[in-house]
Amino acid sequence: MPELPEVETVVRALRQPLVGRTFTEVRTYWPRRIGRPGLPEFKRWLHGQTVSAIGRRGKYILIHLADGDTLIVHLRMSGHLAVTPPDAERDKHTHTILRLDDGRELRFRDQRKFGRMYLVADPEEIVGKLGPEPLLASFTVDLLTERLQGRKRTLKPLLLDQSFVAGIGNIYADEALFYAGLHPERKSDTLTPADIHRLHAAIRKVLALGIAREGASIDLYTKPDGSKGEMQNAVAVFRRTGQSCYTCGQPIQRIVLGGRSTHFCARCQH
DNA sequence: ACCGGAGCCTGTTAGC
DNA sequence: TGCTAACAGGCTCCGG
């Protein structure tokens, strides 16, 4: 499940092979992959465009084009991007191929077909509703406190809400709540200033750790070159149901919250 | 304001 | 052993 650290890892890996390249051909085998505009316009519009920069907003990959437009990619559950030689064998789940002027190809593979590509003049059309970037200096304890004002929400679904804070998914939500010592069913309006302080620190800690370890290769995520990240070996609670908490030794519990499996230590999190 | 459920997908796994 | 049904999971939309 690519979340902020996984997407950041992909962006860093694609920067060198992609910046400065021009798209010379667009092929897609699953038109619904293109979120907007429609496929014919997408093809016409992207043809001949040159990549000026590549960045990230939440879980969205932003491929900035020289004329000011932006190609946006969301990997959702199982999306994978790679720059490959043209003669590389095509995986059966590769549904979109963007040919580059150096002969190589940017390939979008997606087993579950949830991922999307967008081509827009203004990226705010797509990412405008996202909450703050949690790793920027501007994401302060005060900002988090302010965003919690007047709200009464269960913490786990709140962390998964991209309009509250951008980039957190199921893995890092569970990990952040563990490090904050907060129960996933805790209501947001019961947090003390000390709780908010710990939550703020925990969010940044787990996301930074995820980036340092180049993502969690749980399920299908791999880096663009196909190798695995290391974060799956550093999780405290995620998918460790029944195993001992590293802090207190109690078995990790699993519940379902907001339709998402949720893992936590009942002794360490309140 | 907040929550829950459906829908989008398909490979894997649990259950009969 | 072989089949089917349930499940996972990010996000959007809808209804309560």
Side-chain angles (χ1 to χ4, degrees):
Chain A
M1 299 139 273
E3 306 177 24
L4 188 156
E6 288 74 26
V7 174
E8 179 63 27
T9 302
V10 170
V11 164
R12 291 180 182 186
L14 291 180
R15 190 163 281 133
Q16 194 280 327
L18 228 42
V19 172
R21 298 274 63 80
T22 297
F23 295 111
T24 59
E25 187 191 348
V26 177
R27 278 176 285 158
T28 187
Y29 307 91
W30 184 253
R32 297 184 64 172
R33 174 64 31 82
I34 310 302
R36 81 172 74 161
L39 180 60
E41 199 184 343
F42 181 90
K43 285 188 175 181
R44 226 180 306 124
W45 197 0
L46 191 58
H47 185 91
Q49 296 254 30
T50 299
V51 177
S52 59
I54 173 167
R56 177 190 61 73
R57 178 77 172 94
K59 302 176 195 173
Y60 291 83
I61 297 166
L62 306 181
I63 301 173
H64 301 286
L65 303 169
D67 75 345
D69 296 334
T70 309
L71 174 64
I72 302 181
V73 184
H74 197 302
L75 302 172
R76 296 280 184 104
M77 310 297 306
S78 57
H80 182 267
L81 285 178
V83 175
T84 70
D87 55 356
E89 197 176 338
R90 185 163 70 90
D91 181 279
K92 68 171 178 175
H93 298 298
T94 297
H95 301 293
T96 300
I97 296 178
L98 307 182
R99 200 169 170 81
L100 304 169
D101 62 346
D102 63 357
R104 296 202 284 176
E105 297 177 339
L106 174 62
R107 296 187 181 185
F108 188 11
R109 174 184 14 130
D110 189 357
Q111 180 177 287
R112 289 183 191 155
K113 294 180 175 169
F114 281 10
R116 290 288 179 271
M117 281 186 158
Y118 311 87
L119 183 54
V120 293
D122 179 4
E124 290 300 300
E125 273 184 56
I126 305 296
V127 300
K129 282 176 279 187
L130 294 178
E133 280 295 320
L135 290 180
L136 294 183
S138 51
F139 182 67
T140 58
V141 174
D142 284 349
L143 177 63
L144 179 59
T145 304
E146 183 187 309
R147 295 185 71 78
L148 286 165
Q149 286 300 317
R151 318 190 64 171
K152 297 182 181 185
R153 292 192 59 183
T154 308
L155 284 185
K156 172 69 184 275
L158 180 61
L159 290 185
L160 294 178
D161 182 345
Q162 300 301 298
S163 69
F164 181 68
V165 179
I168 300 174
N170 214 28
I171 298 173
Y172 296 94
D174 283 2
E175 295 297 300
L177 288 171
F178 173 79
Y179 286 110
L182 295 170
H183 194 289
E185 288 182 292
R186 182 85 172 267
K187 301 299 175 193
S188 59
D189 62 329
T190 69
L191 297 181
T192 66
D195 289 332
I196 296 171
H197 220 275
R198 289 200 316 279
L199 181 59
H200 174 267
I203 288 170
R204 289 165 71 104
K205 170 186 167 138
V206 296
L207 294 176
L209 183 62
I211 291 173
R213 291 188 163 250
E214 302 186 291
S217 289
I218 296 172
D219 291 336
L220 293 162
Y221 166 78
T222 62
K223 294 185 265 175
D225 69 3
S227 62
K228 292 184 175 186
E230 298 291 334
M231 184 60 192
Q232 68 278 9
N233 303 316
V235 290
V237 290
F238 190 75
R239 294 222 185 142
R240 292 195 63 245
T241 311
Q243 298 177 45
S244 300
C245 171
Y246 294 129
T247 300
C248 75
Q250 286 288 105
I252 300 302
Q253 317 231 330
R254 177 187 180 275
I255 57 175
V256 175
L257 270 185
R260 304 283 166 238
S261 58
T262 299
H263 314 78
F264 68 102
C265 173
R267 185 182 284 179
C268 295
Q269 298 174 247
H270 301 282

